[in-house]
Amino acid sequence: GENVEQHPSTLSVQEGDSAVIKCTYSDSASNYFPWYKQELGKRPQLIIDIRSNVGEKKDQRIAVTLNKTAKHFSLHITETQPEDSAVYFCAATQGSARQLTFGSGTQLTVLP
Amino acid sequence: GAVVSQHPSWVICKSGTSVKIECRSLDFQATTMFWYRQFPKQSLMLMATSNEGSKATYEQGVEKDKFLINHASLTLSTLTVTSAHPEDSSFYICSANPGGADTEAFFGQGTRLTVV
């Protein structure tokens, strides 16, 4: 089955700086890669996703890059704000399956 | 976006009792729903895939007789934790994909189960 590894587990940045979180996946058949933000006790919220036919996607301060050859994808948050503080999860789905395999999560703290 | 509603949002039960958690798709039909479990400070782990009108598919290591899943209609899946024990205390969350494969998954609010 799919295995998703995520780094770092914790990340602290100063407000206004950029944050980068990286994930690798094992199954070359995976074709959909969402990123979620989860606040304590709440459901995961999709912040951006990318499909395997695209190398990069951007939405305002958030961007995701995908390297299919290397089987890794990254989340980039620019101009970080304290409200960006949360746990971020990457995930992958394979082929026609819709179940998500999640990374281990990154606790992002943006220091004011 | 699509709405997935989960109930209850939290429940406390005594050890040895059973607890039922409901997951409803409010504005779309879901032939497939997914159940995840999340322990504190950990990731979401898929427990099982709930299939409308047929048996659920359980992930390795998940006891099907302990975590009973019923998907009797196109908008409702239930997870029953039977003979709950303190180690079953966790955050249980369901999801569904109204758009099909490789599309956004929508999550329920989650259920915080505490077994005392």
Side-chain angles (χ1 to χ4, degrees), chain A residues 31-32 36 38 40-46 49 51 89-90 93 95-105, chain B residues 4 31-32 34 36 38 42-44 46 49 59 91 93 97 100-105 107-110 112:
Chain A
N31 60 356
Y32 176 63
Y36 291 91
Q38 188 182 31
L40 190 62
K42 300 289 182 63
R43 76 185 91 190
Q45 290 188 307
L46 180 72
D49 56 13
R51 289 177 176 77
F89 291 99
C90 61
T93 59
S96 60
R98 285 169 284 175
Q99 61 264 43
L100 293 163
T101 300
F102 285 86
S104 52
Chain B
V4 175
T31 56
T32 303
F34 302 96
Y36 296 86
Q38 185 177 32
Q42 293 188 25
S43 187
L44 287 82
L46 180 67
T49 302
E59 295 301 299
F91 189 60
I93 190 163
N97 303 57
D102 73 347
T103 62
E104 181 178 356
F107 289 87
Q109 303 96 312
R112 172 71 59 193

mmCIF file of all heavy atoms in Angstrom, chain A residues 31-32 36 38 40-46 49 51 89-90 93 95-105, chain B residues 4 31-32 34 36 38 42-44 46 49 59 91 93 97 100-105 107-110 112:
data_model
loop_
_atom_site.group_PDB
_atom_site.id
_atom_site.type_symbol
_atom_site.label_atom_id
_atom_site.label_comp_id
_atom_site.label_asym_id
_atom_site.label_seq_id
_atom_site.Cartn_x
_atom_site.Cartn_y
_atom_site.Cartn_z
ATOM 1 N N ASN A 31 -2.056 9.714 -7.587
ATOM 2 C CA ASN A 31 -2.267 10.774 -8.567
ATOM 3 C C ASN A 31 -2.966 12.009 -8.026
ATOM 4 O O ASN A 31 -3.260 12.938 -8.758
ATOM 5 C CB ASN A 31 -3.057 10.227 -9.760
ATOM 6 C CG ASN A 31 -4.419 9.692 -9.352
ATOM 7 O OD1 ASN A 31 -4.749 9.653 -8.174
ATOM 8 N ND2 ASN A 31 -5.206 9.278 -10.320
ATOM 9 N N TYR A 32 -3.229 12.020 -6.720
ATOM 10 C CA TYR A 32 -3.900 13.182 -6.143
ATOM 11 C C TYR A 32 -3.279 13.446 -4.784
ATOM 12 O O TYR A 32 -3.178 12.532 -3.952
ATOM 13 C CB TYR A 32 -5.402 12.905 -6.016
ATOM 14 C CG TYR A 32 -6.191 14.003 -5.337
ATOM 15 C CD1 TYR A 32 -6.284 15.269 -5.887
ATOM 16 C CD2 TYR A 32 -6.838 13.759 -4.130
ATOM 17 C CE1 TYR A 32 -7.003 16.270 -5.266
ATOM 18 C CE2 TYR A 32 -7.562 14.755 -3.503
ATOM 19 C CZ TYR A 32 -7.640 16.006 -4.070
ATOM 20 O OH TYR A 32 -8.358 16.990 -3.446
ATOM 21 N N TYR A 36 -3.846 19.436 4.069
ATOM 22 C CA TYR A 36 -4.889 19.820 5.005
ATOM 23 C C TYR A 36 -4.297 20.595 6.177
ATOM 24 O O TYR A 36 -3.178 20.335 6.612
ATOM 25 C CB TYR A 36 -5.602 18.585 5.560
ATOM 26 C CG TYR A 36 -6.443 17.866 4.530
ATOM 27 C CD1 TYR A 36 -5.904 16.833 3.767
ATOM 28 C CD2 TYR A 36 -7.774 18.218 4.324
ATOM 29 C CE1 TYR A 36 -6.672 16.178 2.821
ATOM 30 C CE2 TYR A 36 -8.545 17.566 3.386
ATOM 31 C CZ TYR A 36 -7.984 16.551 2.642
ATOM 32 O OH TYR A 36 -8.730 15.902 1.693
ATOM 33 N N GLN A 38 -5.273 21.380 10.118
ATOM 34 C CA GLN A 38 -6.169 20.915 11.174
ATOM 35 C C GLN A 38 -5.886 21.658 12.466
ATOM 36 O O GLN A 38 -4.764 21.641 12.972
ATOM 37 C CB GLN A 38 -6.022 19.403 11.402
ATOM 38 C CG GLN A 38 -7.072 18.852 12.364
ATOM 39 C CD GLN A 38 -6.909 17.365 12.622
ATOM 40 O OE1 GLN A 38 -5.816 16.831 12.591
ATOM 41 N NE2 GLN A 38 -8.033 16.680 12.880
ATOM 42 N N LEU A 40 -6.858 22.161 16.550
ATOM 43 C CA LEU A 40 -7.079 21.203 17.623
ATOM 44 C C LEU A 40 -8.564 20.869 17.782
ATOM 45 O O LEU A 40 -9.401 21.757 17.954
ATOM 46 C CB LEU A 40 -6.519 21.758 18.940
ATOM 47 C CG LEU A 40 -6.464 20.788 20.109
ATOM 48 C CD1 LEU A 40 -5.540 19.616 19.779
ATOM 49 C CD2 LEU A 40 -5.992 21.492 21.372
ATOM 50 N N GLY A 41 -8.874 19.577 17.698
ATOM 51 C CA GLY A 41 -10.248 19.141 17.910
ATOM 52 C C GLY A 41 -11.186 19.374 16.738
ATOM 53 O O GLY A 41 -12.389 19.120 16.844
ATOM 54 N N LYS A 42 -10.624 19.842 15.611
ATOM 55 C CA LYS A 42 -11.477 20.147 14.463
ATOM 56 C C LYS A 42 -11.196 19.182 13.305
ATOM 57 O O LYS A 42 -10.214 18.440 13.313
ATOM 58 C CB LYS A 42 -11.211 21.582 13.989
ATOM 59 C CG LYS A 42 -11.481 22.649 15.056
ATOM 60 C CD LYS A 42 -12.936 22.808 15.325
ATOM 61 C CE LYS A 42 -13.226 23.891 16.341
ATOM 62 N NZ LYS A 42 -12.795 25.233 15.877
ATOM 63 N N ARG A 43 -12.056 19.238 12.330
ATOM 64 C CA ARG A 43 -11.856 18.409 11.149
ATOM 65 C C ARG A 43 -10.754 18.994 10.275
ATOM 66 O O ARG A 43 -10.503 20.201 10.312
ATOM 67 C CB ARG A 43 -13.159 18.328 10.354
ATOM 68 C CG ARG A 43 -13.489 19.585 9.544
ATOM 69 C CD ARG A 43 -14.843 19.503 8.867
ATOM 70 N NE ARG A 43 -15.911 20.035 9.700
ATOM 71 C CZ ARG A 43 -17.203 19.898 9.427
ATOM 72 N NH1 ARG A 43 -17.584 19.218 8.365
ATOM 73 N NH2 ARG A 43 -18.105 20.423 10.223
ATOM 74 N N PRO A 44 -10.083 18.170 9.475
ATOM 75 C CA PRO A 44 -9.076 18.703 8.536
ATOM 76 C C PRO A 44 -9.761 19.571 7.493
ATOM 77 O O PRO A 44 -10.855 19.250 7.017
ATOM 78 C CB PRO A 44 -8.486 17.447 7.903
ATOM 79 C CG PRO A 44 -8.859 16.332 8.807
ATOM 80 C CD PRO A 44 -10.167 16.709 9.415
ATOM 81 N N GLN A 45 -9.083 20.652 7.131
ATOM 82 C CA GLN A 45 -9.603 21.533 6.087
ATOM 83 C C GLN A 45 -8.637 21.561 4.926
ATOM 84 O O GLN A 45 -7.436 21.807 5.115
ATOM 85 C CB GLN A 45 -9.784 22.949 6.645
ATOM 86 C CG GLN A 45 -10.920 23.072 7.639
ATOM 87 C CD GLN A 45 -11.181 24.521 8.023
ATOM 88 O OE1 GLN A 45 -10.261 25.220 8.423
ATOM 89 N NE2 GLN A 45 -12.418 24.966 7.894
ATOM 90 N N LEU A 46 -9.162 21.313 3.744
ATOM 91 C CA LEU A 46 -8.324 21.341 2.550
ATOM 92 C C LEU A 46 -7.833 22.757 2.296
ATOM 93 O O LEU A 46 -8.621 23.703 2.270
ATOM 94 C CB LEU A 46 -9.133 20.853 1.348
ATOM 95 C CG LEU A 46 -8.380 20.821 0.015
ATOM 96 C CD1 LEU A 46 -7.367 19.684 0.012
ATOM 97 C CD2 LEU A 46 -9.360 20.671 -1.151
ATOM 98 N N ASP A 49 -4.608 21.462 -3.248
ATOM 99 C CA ASP A 49 -4.357 20.111 -3.738
ATOM 100 C C ASP A 49 -3.715 20.185 -5.116
ATOM 101 O O ASP A 49 -3.755 21.221 -5.785
ATOM 102 C CB ASP A 49 -5.639 19.269 -3.761
ATOM 103 C CG ASP A 49 -6.762 19.904 -4.582
ATOM 104 O OD1 ASP A 49 -6.496 20.868 -5.339
ATOM 105 O OD2 ASP A 49 -7.912 19.450 -4.463
ATOM 106 N N ARG A 51 -2.825 17.573 -8.698
ATOM 107 C CA ARG A 51 -2.941 16.291 -9.374
ATOM 108 C C ARG A 51 -1.661 15.983 -10.118
ATOM 109 O O ARG A 51 -0.859 16.866 -10.399
ATOM 110 C CB ARG A 51 -4.159 16.302 -10.306
ATOM 111 C CG ARG A 51 -5.457 16.292 -9.532
ATOM 112 C CD ARG A 51 -6.701 16.379 -10.383
ATOM 113 N NE ARG A 51 -7.889 16.277 -9.539
ATOM 114 C CZ ARG A 51 -8.369 17.262 -8.788
ATOM 115 N NH1 ARG A 51 -7.764 18.429 -8.784
ATOM 116 N NH2 ARG A 51 -9.440 17.075 -8.054
ATOM 117 N N PHE A 89 -1.201 18.463 7.333
ATOM 118 C CA PHE A 89 -1.028 17.089 6.867
ATOM 119 C C PHE A 89 -0.983 17.061 5.351
ATOM 120 O O PHE A 89 -1.814 17.686 4.688
ATOM 121 C CB PHE A 89 -2.190 16.199 7.317
ATOM 122 C CG PHE A 89 -2.248 15.941 8.790
ATOM 123 C CD1 PHE A 89 -3.098 16.673 9.601
ATOM 124 C CD2 PHE A 89 -1.466 14.950 9.360
ATOM 125 C CE1 PHE A 89 -3.169 16.430 10.966
ATOM 126 C CE2 PHE A 89 -1.530 14.702 10.727
ATOM 127 C CZ PHE A 89 -2.379 15.449 11.520
ATOM 128 N N CYS A 90 -0.043 16.295 4.820
ATOM 129 C CA CYS A 90 -0.097 15.979 3.404
ATOM 130 C C CYS A 90 -0.793 14.625 3.277
ATOM 131 O O CYS A 90 -0.921 13.885 4.253
ATOM 132 C CB CYS A 90 1.296 15.917 2.794
ATOM 133 S SG CYS A 90 2.375 14.656 3.514
ATOM 134 N N THR A 93 -3.646 9.874 -2.670
ATOM 135 C CA THR A 93 -4.569 8.812 -3.050
ATOM 136 C C THR A 93 -4.058 8.177 -4.323
ATOM 137 O O THR A 93 -3.395 8.806 -5.132
ATOM 138 C CB THR A 93 -6.000 9.325 -3.300
ATOM 139 O OG1 THR A 93 -5.956 10.298 -4.347
ATOM 140 C CG2 THR A 93 -6.585 9.942 -2.076
ATOM 141 N N GLY A 95 -4.779 5.988 -7.833
ATOM 142 C CA GLY A 95 -5.661 5.482 -8.870
ATOM 143 C C GLY A 95 -7.108 5.831 -8.631
ATOM 144 O O GLY A 95 -7.466 6.950 -8.303
ATOM 145 N N SER A 96 -7.947 4.828 -8.760
ATOM 146 C CA SER A 96 -9.370 5.055 -8.601
ATOM 147 C C SER A 96 -9.800 5.021 -7.139
ATOM 148 O O SER A 96 -10.947 5.313 -6.819
ATOM 149 C CB SER A 96 -10.159 3.995 -9.366
ATOM 150 O OG SER A 96 -9.824 2.697 -8.865
ATOM 151 N N ALA A 97 -8.875 4.680 -6.264
ATOM 152 C CA ALA A 97 -9.217 4.666 -4.843
ATOM 153 C C ALA A 97 -9.391 6.089 -4.353
ATOM 154 O O ALA A 97 -8.775 7.008 -4.870
ATOM 155 C CB ALA A 97 -8.121 3.953 -4.058
ATOM 156 N N ARG A 98 -10.204 6.278 -3.361
ATOM 157 C CA ARG A 98 -10.415 7.618 -2.836
ATOM 158 C C ARG A 98 -9.968 7.755 -1.390
ATOM 159 O O ARG A 98 -9.948 8.830 -0.857
ATOM 160 C CB ARG A 98 -11.895 7.988 -2.961
ATOM 161 C CG ARG A 98 -12.308 8.337 -4.377
ATOM 162 C CD ARG A 98 -13.802 8.423 -4.509
ATOM 163 N NE ARG A 98 -14.409 7.106 -4.547
ATOM 164 C CZ ARG A 98 -15.721 6.908 -4.562
ATOM 165 N NH1 ARG A 98 -16.537 7.917 -4.509
ATOM 166 N NH2 ARG A 98 -16.200 5.682 -4.610
ATOM 167 N N GLN A 99 -9.602 6.635 -0.761
ATOM 168 C CA GLN A 99 -9.150 6.760 0.610
ATOM 169 C C GLN A 99 -7.800 7.445 0.639
ATOM 170 O O GLN A 99 -6.974 7.273 -0.241
ATOM 171 C CB GLN A 99 -9.073 5.405 1.309
ATOM 172 C CG GLN A 99 -8.127 4.409 0.687
ATOM 173 C CD GLN A 99 -8.845 3.460 -0.245
ATOM 174 O OE1 GLN A 99 -9.693 3.890 -1.029
ATOM 175 N NE2 GLN A 99 -8.541 2.198 -0.166
ATOM 176 N N LEU A 100 -7.611 8.245 1.660
ATOM 177 C CA LEU A 100 -6.405 9.041 1.794
ATOM 178 C C LEU A 100 -5.392 8.348 2.692
ATOM 179 O O LEU A 100 -5.749 7.799 3.733
ATOM 180 C CB LEU A 100 -6.744 10.412 2.380
ATOM 181 C CG LEU A 100 -7.591 11.333 1.497
ATOM 182 C CD1 LEU A 100 -8.196 12.444 2.332
ATOM 183 C CD2 LEU A 100 -6.730 11.912 0.390
ATOM 184 N N THR A 101 -4.143 8.400 2.289
ATOM 185 C CA THR A 101 -3.047 8.015 3.167
ATOM 186 C C THR A 101 -2.374 9.305 3.602
ATOM 187 O O THR A 101 -1.895 10.067 2.756
ATOM 188 C CB THR A 101 -2.037 7.105 2.456
ATOM 189 O OG1 THR A 101 -2.695 5.926 2.006
ATOM 190 C CG2 THR A 101 -0.906 6.720 3.402
ATOM 191 N N PHE A 102 -2.357 9.551 4.896
ATOM 192 C CA PHE A 102 -1.862 10.812 5.429
ATOM 193 C C PHE A 102 -0.409 10.715 5.845
ATOM 194 O O PHE A 102 0.078 9.660 6.275
ATOM 195 C CB PHE A 102 -2.684 11.226 6.660
ATOM 196 C CG PHE A 102 -4.046 11.764 6.331
ATOM 197 C CD1 PHE A 102 -5.124 10.920 6.164
ATOM 198 C CD2 PHE A 102 -4.241 13.133 6.200
ATOM 199 C CE1 PHE A 102 -6.382 11.415 5.863
ATOM 200 C CE2 PHE A 102 -5.497 13.639 5.898
ATOM 201 C CZ PHE A 102 -6.567 12.772 5.728
ATOM 202 N N GLY A 103 0.276 11.841 5.736
ATOM 203 C CA GLY A 103 1.573 11.969 6.363
ATOM 204 C C GLY A 103 1.399 12.116 7.862
ATOM 205 O O GLY A 103 0.276 12.198 8.370
ATOM 206 N N SER A 104 2.504 12.171 8.578
ATOM 207 C CA SER A 104 2.470 12.173 10.040
ATOM 208 C C SER A 104 2.136 13.537 10.640
ATOM 209 O O SER A 104 1.885 13.637 11.828
ATOM 210 C CB SER A 104 3.805 11.686 10.598
ATOM 211 O OG SER A 104 4.859 12.428 10.024
ATOM 212 N N GLY A 105 2.136 14.563 9.821
ATOM 213 C CA GLY A 105 1.745 15.882 10.298
ATOM 214 C C GLY A 105 2.918 16.769 10.688
ATOM 215 O O GLY A 105 3.979 16.288 11.094
ATOM 216 N N VAL B 4 -20.633 17.111 4.991
ATOM 217 C CA VAL B 4 -20.690 15.824 5.676
ATOM 218 C C VAL B 4 -20.886 16.128 7.154
ATOM 219 O O VAL B 4 -20.125 16.901 7.739
ATOM 220 C CB VAL B 4 -19.402 15.012 5.459
ATOM 221 C CG1 VAL B 4 -19.434 13.733 6.283
ATOM 222 C CG2 VAL B 4 -19.234 14.684 3.973
ATOM 223 N N THR B 31 -21.879 6.604 -2.139
ATOM 224 C CA THR B 31 -21.863 5.149 -2.134
ATOM 225 C C THR B 31 -20.699 4.619 -1.306
ATOM 226 O O THR B 31 -20.707 3.481 -0.876
ATOM 227 C CB THR B 31 -21.750 4.593 -3.564
ATOM 228 O OG1 THR B 31 -20.585 5.157 -4.176
ATOM 229 C CG2 THR B 31 -22.971 4.959 -4.383
ATOM 230 N N THR B 32 -19.717 5.464 -1.101
ATOM 231 C CA THR B 32 -18.547 5.081 -0.319
ATOM 232 C C THR B 32 -18.229 6.174 0.687
ATOM 233 O O THR B 32 -18.227 7.353 0.336
ATOM 234 C CB THR B 32 -17.323 4.854 -1.224
ATOM 235 O OG1 THR B 32 -17.638 3.849 -2.196
ATOM 236 C CG2 THR B 32 -16.115 4.413 -0.410
ATOM 237 N N PHE B 34 -15.525 6.877 4.259
ATOM 238 C CA PHE B 34 -14.312 6.389 4.900
ATOM 239 C C PHE B 34 -14.317 6.765 6.384
ATOM 240 O O PHE B 34 -14.755 7.860 6.746
ATOM 241 C CB PHE B 34 -13.074 6.992 4.225
ATOM 242 C CG PHE B 34 -13.002 6.692 2.752
ATOM 243 C CD1 PHE B 34 -13.467 7.608 1.828
ATOM 244 C CD2 PHE B 34 -12.515 5.486 2.304
ATOM 245 C CE1 PHE B 34 -13.428 7.330 0.465
ATOM 246 C CE2 PHE B 34 -12.470 5.196 0.941
ATOM 247 C CZ PHE B 34 -12.930 6.122 0.027
ATOM 248 N N TYR B 36 -11.868 7.191 9.725
ATOM 249 C CA TYR B 36 -10.500 7.362 10.195
ATOM 250 C C TYR B 36 -10.505 7.466 11.716
ATOM 251 O O TYR B 36 -11.494 7.851 12.345
ATOM 252 C CB TYR B 36 -9.875 8.641 9.624
ATOM 253 C CG TYR B 36 -9.724 8.654 8.118
ATOM 254 C CD1 TYR B 36 -10.763 9.063 7.292
ATOM 255 C CD2 TYR B 36 -8.530 8.280 7.521
ATOM 256 C CE1 TYR B 36 -10.629 9.088 5.916
ATOM 257 C CE2 TYR B 36 -8.379 8.300 6.139
ATOM 258 C CZ TYR B 36 -9.429 8.704 5.346
ATOM 259 O OH TYR B 36 -9.282 8.724 3.982
ATOM 260 N N GLN B 38 -7.971 9.055 14.879
ATOM 261 C CA GLN B 38 -6.830 9.926 15.143
ATOM 262 C C GLN B 38 -6.573 9.983 16.633
ATOM 263 O O GLN B 38 -7.396 10.535 17.380
ATOM 264 C CB GLN B 38 -7.074 11.328 14.581
ATOM 265 C CG GLN B 38 -5.875 12.256 14.701
ATOM 266 C CD GLN B 38 -6.127 13.619 14.078
ATOM 267 O OE1 GLN B 38 -7.253 14.119 14.072
ATOM 268 N NE2 GLN B 38 -5.072 14.239 13.566
ATOM 269 N N GLN B 42 -1.317 12.611 16.740
ATOM 270 C CA GLN B 42 -0.956 11.681 15.676
ATOM 271 C C GLN B 42 -1.751 11.986 14.410
ATOM 272 O O GLN B 42 -2.610 12.866 14.396
ATOM 273 C CB GLN B 42 -1.193 10.236 16.112
ATOM 274 C CG GLN B 42 -0.259 9.784 17.225
ATOM 275 C CD GLN B 42 -0.373 8.302 17.503
ATOM 276 O OE1 GLN B 42 -0.773 7.513 16.637
ATOM 277 N NE2 GLN B 42 -0.008 7.911 18.716
ATOM 278 N N SER B 43 -1.436 11.239 13.368
ATOM 279 C CA SER B 43 -2.093 11.463 12.091
ATOM 280 C C SER B 43 -3.421 10.710 12.017
ATOM 281 O O SER B 43 -3.768 9.954 12.926
ATOM 282 C CB SER B 43 -1.167 10.994 10.970
ATOM 283 O OG SER B 43 -1.693 11.337 9.709
ATOM 284 N N LEU B 44 -4.142 10.952 10.943
ATOM 285 C CA LEU B 44 -5.379 10.214 10.698
ATOM 286 C C LEU B 44 -5.020 8.879 10.060
ATOM 287 O O LEU B 44 -4.289 8.822 9.070
ATOM 288 C CB LEU B 44 -6.304 10.989 9.759
ATOM 289 C CG LEU B 44 -7.003 12.215 10.330
ATOM 290 C CD1 LEU B 44 -6.109 13.445 10.324
ATOM 291 C CD2 LEU B 44 -8.288 12.504 9.554
ATOM 292 N N LEU B 46 -6.624 5.445 8.358
ATOM 293 C CA LEU B 46 -7.831 4.852 7.802
ATOM 294 C C LEU B 46 -8.159 3.563 8.542
ATOM 295 O O LEU B 46 -7.294 2.694 8.700
ATOM 296 C CB LEU B 46 -7.621 4.558 6.316
ATOM 297 C CG LEU B 46 -8.802 3.924 5.584
ATOM 298 C CD1 LEU B 46 -9.968 4.910 5.496
ATOM 299 C CD2 LEU B 46 -8.393 3.469 4.189
ATOM 300 N N THR B 49 -13.325 1.253 4.865
ATOM 301 C CA THR B 49 -14.104 1.857 3.783
ATOM 302 C C THR B 49 -15.509 1.310 3.867
ATOM 303 O O THR B 49 -15.708 0.089 3.854
ATOM 304 C CB THR B 49 -13.480 1.523 2.426
ATOM 305 O OG1 THR B 49 -12.134 2.002 2.407
ATOM 306 C CG2 THR B 49 -14.271 2.156 1.286
ATOM 307 N N GLU B 59 -9.123 -2.053 7.184
ATOM 308 C CA GLU B 59 -7.673 -2.010 7.044
ATOM 309 C C GLU B 59 -7.046 -3.062 7.966
ATOM 310 O O GLU B 59 -7.643 -3.489 8.959
ATOM 311 C CB GLU B 59 -7.142 -0.621 7.387
ATOM 312 C CG GLU B 59 -7.604 0.453 6.412
ATOM 313 C CD GLU B 59 -7.184 0.182 4.983
ATOM 314 O OE1 GLU B 59 -5.942 0.115 4.720
ATOM 315 O OE2 GLU B 59 -8.056 0.053 4.121
ATOM 316 N N PHE B 91 -10.261 10.195 18.476
ATOM 317 C CA PHE B 91 -11.066 11.083 17.628
ATOM 318 C C PHE B 91 -11.396 10.292 16.376
ATOM 319 O O PHE B 91 -10.503 9.869 15.644
ATOM 320 C CB PHE B 91 -10.237 12.340 17.308
ATOM 321 C CG PHE B 91 -10.983 13.452 16.623
ATOM 322 C CD1 PHE B 91 -12.081 14.037 17.220
ATOM 323 C CD2 PHE B 91 -10.562 13.955 15.394
ATOM 324 C CE1 PHE B 91 -12.756 15.093 16.611
ATOM 325 C CE2 PHE B 91 -11.223 15.002 14.777
ATOM 326 C CZ PHE B 91 -12.322 15.572 15.383
ATOM 327 N N ILE B 93 -13.340 10.112 12.728
ATOM 328 C CA ILE B 93 -13.795 11.075 11.730
ATOM 329 C C ILE B 93 -14.105 10.359 10.409
ATOM 330 O O ILE B 93 -13.389 9.431 10.028
ATOM 331 C CB ILE B 93 -12.749 12.193 11.557
ATOM 332 C CG1 ILE B 93 -13.279 13.331 10.714
ATOM 333 C CG2 ILE B 93 -11.441 11.666 11.003
ATOM 334 C CD1 ILE B 93 -12.468 14.601 10.856
ATOM 335 N N ASN B 97 -16.260 11.570 -0.785
ATOM 336 C CA ASN B 97 -15.824 12.342 -1.960
ATOM 337 C C ASN B 97 -16.985 12.456 -2.949
ATOM 338 O O ASN B 97 -17.197 11.542 -3.742
ATOM 339 C CB ASN B 97 -14.664 11.642 -2.670
ATOM 340 C CG ASN B 97 -13.485 11.394 -1.788
ATOM 341 O OD1 ASN B 97 -13.592 10.760 -0.754
ATOM 342 N ND2 ASN B 97 -12.337 11.896 -2.204
ATOM 343 N N GLY B 100 -16.002 11.916 -6.693
ATOM 344 C CA GLY B 100 -15.394 10.684 -7.181
ATOM 345 C C GLY B 100 -13.901 10.641 -6.925
ATOM 346 O O GLY B 100 -13.360 11.411 -6.124
ATOM 347 N N ALA B 101 -13.235 9.754 -7.626
ATOM 348 C CA ALA B 101 -11.805 9.538 -7.404
ATOM 349 C C ALA B 101 -11.012 10.813 -7.686
ATOM 350 O O ALA B 101 -11.418 11.650 -8.486
ATOM 351 C CB ALA B 101 -11.311 8.403 -8.293
ATOM 352 N N ASP B 102 -9.897 10.938 -7.029
ATOM 353 C CA ASP B 102 -8.954 12.067 -7.083
ATOM 354 C C ASP B 102 -9.643 13.432 -7.061
ATOM 355 O O ASP B 102 -9.303 14.349 -7.807
ATOM 356 C CB ASP B 102 -7.963 11.923 -8.247
ATOM 357 C CG ASP B 102 -8.525 12.176 -9.635
ATOM 358 O OD1 ASP B 102 -9.763 12.242 -9.790
ATOM 359 O OD2 ASP B 102 -7.735 12.346 -10.555
ATOM 360 N N THR B 103 -10.623 13.534 -6.166
ATOM 361 C CA THR B 103 -11.272 14.820 -5.913
ATOM 362 C C THR B 103 -11.284 15.077 -4.414
ATOM 363 O O THR B 103 -10.943 14.204 -3.623
ATOM 364 C CB THR B 103 -12.720 14.849 -6.442
ATOM 365 O OG1 THR B 103 -13.480 13.858 -5.751
ATOM 366 C CG2 THR B 103 -12.768 14.568 -7.929
ATOM 367 N N GLU B 104 -11.699 16.285 -4.073
ATOM 368 C CA GLU B 104 -11.652 16.704 -2.685
ATOM 369 C C GLU B 104 -12.498 15.809 -1.797
ATOM 370 O O GLU B 104 -13.639 15.481 -2.122
ATOM 371 C CB GLU B 104 -12.134 18.141 -2.567
ATOM 372 C CG GLU B 104 -12.105 18.681 -1.138
ATOM 373 C CD GLU B 104 -12.541 20.130 -1.054
ATOM 374 O OE1 GLU B 104 -12.786 20.743 -2.117
ATOM 375 O OE2 GLU B 104 -12.638 20.652 0.075
ATOM 376 N N ALA B 105 -11.922 15.424 -0.666
ATOM 377 C CA ALA B 105 -12.655 14.691 0.350
ATOM 378 C C ALA B 105 -13.251 15.685 1.339
ATOM 379 O O ALA B 105 -12.603 16.664 1.708
ATOM 380 C CB ALA B 105 -11.732 13.726 1.086
ATOM 381 N N PHE B 107 -14.876 16.106 5.125
ATOM 382 C CA PHE B 107 -14.844 15.431 6.406
ATOM 383 C C PHE B 107 -16.022 15.832 7.290
ATOM 384 O O PHE B 107 -16.484 16.974 7.250
ATOM 385 C CB PHE B 107 -13.543 15.753 7.137
ATOM 386 C CG PHE B 107 -12.330 15.108 6.514
ATOM 387 C CD1 PHE B 107 -11.646 15.729 5.494
ATOM 388 C CD2 PHE B 107 -11.891 13.871 6.954
ATOM 389 C CE1 PHE B 107 -10.533 15.136 4.912
ATOM 390 C CE2 PHE B 107 -10.784 13.269 6.376
ATOM 391 C CZ PHE B 107 -10.104 13.893 5.354
ATOM 392 N N GLY B 108 -16.461 14.882 8.096
ATOM 393 C CA GLY B 108 -17.388 15.213 9.159
ATOM 394 C C GLY B 108 -16.649 15.971 10.249
ATOM 395 O O GLY B 108 -15.427 16.147 10.199
ATOM 396 N N GLN B 109 -17.407 16.431 11.241
ATOM 397 C CA GLN B 109 -16.825 17.238 12.313
ATOM 398 C C GLN B 109 -15.929 16.425 13.236
ATOM 399 O O GLN B 109 -15.139 16.979 13.985
ATOM 400 C CB GLN B 109 -17.927 17.896 13.158
ATOM 401 C CG GLN B 109 -18.892 18.761 12.374
ATOM 402 C CD GLN B 109 -20.139 18.015 11.999
ATOM 403 O OE1 GLN B 109 -20.081 16.892 11.487
ATOM 404 N NE2 GLN B 109 -21.278 18.642 12.232
ATOM 405 N N GLY B 110 -16.066 15.114 13.178
ATOM 406 C CA GLY B 110 -15.322 14.261 14.073
ATOM 407 C C GLY B 110 -16.083 13.979 15.354
ATOM 408 O O GLY B 110 -16.954 14.763 15.772
ATOM 409 N N ARG B 112 -15.271 12.874 19.345
ATOM 410 C CA ARG B 112 -14.296 12.610 20.400
ATOM 411 C C ARG B 112 -14.901 11.564 21.330
ATOM 412 O O ARG B 112 -15.866 11.851 22.034
ATOM 413 C CB ARG B 112 -13.981 13.890 21.172
ATOM 414 C CG ARG B 112 -13.124 13.683 22.419
ATOM 415 C CD ARG B 112 -11.699 13.338 22.071
ATOM 416 N NE ARG B 112 -11.071 14.375 21.265
ATOM 417 C CZ ARG B 112 -9.917 14.214 20.621
ATOM 418 N NH1 ARG B 112 -9.272 13.065 20.687
ATOM 419 N NH2 ARG B 112 -9.408 15.194 19.914
#
